[in-house]
Amino acid sequence: RKEVEQDPGPFNVPEGATVAFNCTYSNSASQSFFWYRQDCRKEPKLLMSVYSSGNEDGRFTAQLNRASQYISLLIRDSKLSDSATYLCVVSTSTGGYQKVTFGTGTKLQVIP
Amino acid sequence: DAGITQSPRHKVTETGTPVTLRCHQTENHRYMYWYRQDPGHGLRLIHYSYGVKDTDKGEVSDGYSVSRSKTEDFLLTLESATSSQTSVYFCAISETRQGWNTEAFFGQGTRLTVV
């Protein structure tokens, strides 16, 4: 089983739609969670951290469910500029050292 | 933007030649990572470092070696390049603050083509 799993998509949604992505992780000792955004041929960039209590940043909401070991990202009122690949990222402390693992990404295409 | 640079940004090399990619950071972060990204596989960890001279293998380390002789530099070497190592290589850095793992910051990537 992969350490971090995501649906690769693509998700094709119309402008203004709400779309949700899920991600599961296998290591229950994982400590920190993030969503990254990656545009074509660019480096991944942090979209938002994910906290146990859930957190919101404008149109984006992230949730963490430690019991079920999944995190989610909700995008409301999708914009054309939201088209990108969204990467789920899990950070785990292993033997006192930090390891960062990425999902393969979910591709989102927002259609006019 | 975090101070992390990769060099070279693009490289074409011949099969069988050694290649070294450099990652340089100005953030004094403890952790440094090398990933490769290929279609259908996402970002896969090659090697990572948790301090000077402290490195460990990732999931796709065969054919690669790394060195970290000082905090700011993390070198990735392809000992004898093969066509299967044609990829985009990303370096990343991260830190631990108050016991929590911070987010990772990425370099702009190196496009390597092995012909």
Side-chain angles (χ1 to χ4, degrees):
Chain A
R1 182 186 173 187
K2 287 186 178 179
E3 291 186 55
V4 180
E5 293 200 69
Q6 292 182 252
D7 181 343
F11 284 59
N12 297 313
V13 302
E15 268 187 294
T18 295
V19 61
F21 306 136
N22 289 324
C23 166
T24 59
Y25 60 95
S26 61
N27 190 337
S28 59
S30 295
Q31 185 186 40
S32 304
F33 308 89
F34 310 94
W35 283 102
Y36 277 69
R37 171 192 170 127
Q38 186 175 25
D39 295 294
C40 188
R41 301 175 77 85
K42 298 284 190 181
E43 73 272 25
K45 291 191 175 180
L46 179 69
L47 177 66
M48 58 196 304
S49 302
V50 187
Y51 304 118
S52 297
S53 55
N55 49 301
E56 188 173 308
D57 183 3
R59 298 181 292 108
F60 299 85
T61 300
Q63 297 275 357
L64 167 64
N65 185 319
R66 285 190 183 271
S68 301
Q69 295 181 206
Y70 79 83
I71 68 174
S72 64
L73 177 68
L74 183 76
I75 305 175
R76 291 181 298 278
D77 188 22
S78 299
K79 312 289 185 192
L80 294 176
S81 58
D82 294 334
S83 297
T85 296
Y86 291 83
L87 303 167
C88 170
V89 182
V90 174
S91 181
T92 307
S93 293
T94 306
Y97 309 117
Q98 183 187 128
K99 181 180 172 185
V100 179
T101 305
F102 285 76
T104 53
T106 300
K107 187 170 182 179
L108 172 66
Q109 184 70 47
V110 181
I111 303 163
Chain B
D1 288 346
I4 175 170
T5 55
Q6 292 182 230
S7 59
R9 294 290 313 282
H10 302 270
K11 187 170 181 67
V12 179
T13 192
E14 292 186 348
T15 299
T17 60
V19 177
T20 295
L21 308 182
R22 181 182 184 232
C23 179
H24 179 77
Q25 60 146 330
T26 58
E27 304 295 323
N28 200 35
H29 279 18
R30 178 183 180 189
Y31 299 95
M32 298 186 76
Y33 311 83
W34 276 108
Y35 294 89
R36 61 177 289 174
Q37 188 171 38
D38 306 287
H41 292 279
L43 280 156
R44 293 182 291 174
L45 183 64
I46 305 171
H47 282 278
Y48 65 102
S49 169
Y50 43 90
V52 174
K53 292 189 168 60
D54 291 324
T55 65
D56 205 351
K57 295 179 180 180
E59 61 179 302
V60 290
S61 60
D62 287 349
Y64 301 94
S65 62
V66 289
S67 67
R68 192 166 176 202
S69 59
K70 44 187 178 176
T71 299
E72 55 266 36
D73 289 327
F74 193 32
L75 304 180
L76 176 71
T77 297
L78 287 65
E79 293 140 8
S80 177
T82 67
S83 58
S84 65
Q85 293 176 312
T86 293
S87 186
V88 179
Y89 291 84
F90 286 104
C91 175
I93 61 174
S94 70
E95 189 49 88
T96 302
R97 302 249 184 261
Q98 299 178 325
W100 289 97
N101 300 337
T102 67
E103 66 269 30
F105 298 97
F106 282 82
Q108 292 178 294
T110 296
R111 294 191 173 275
L112 177 68
T113 302
V114 183
V115 298

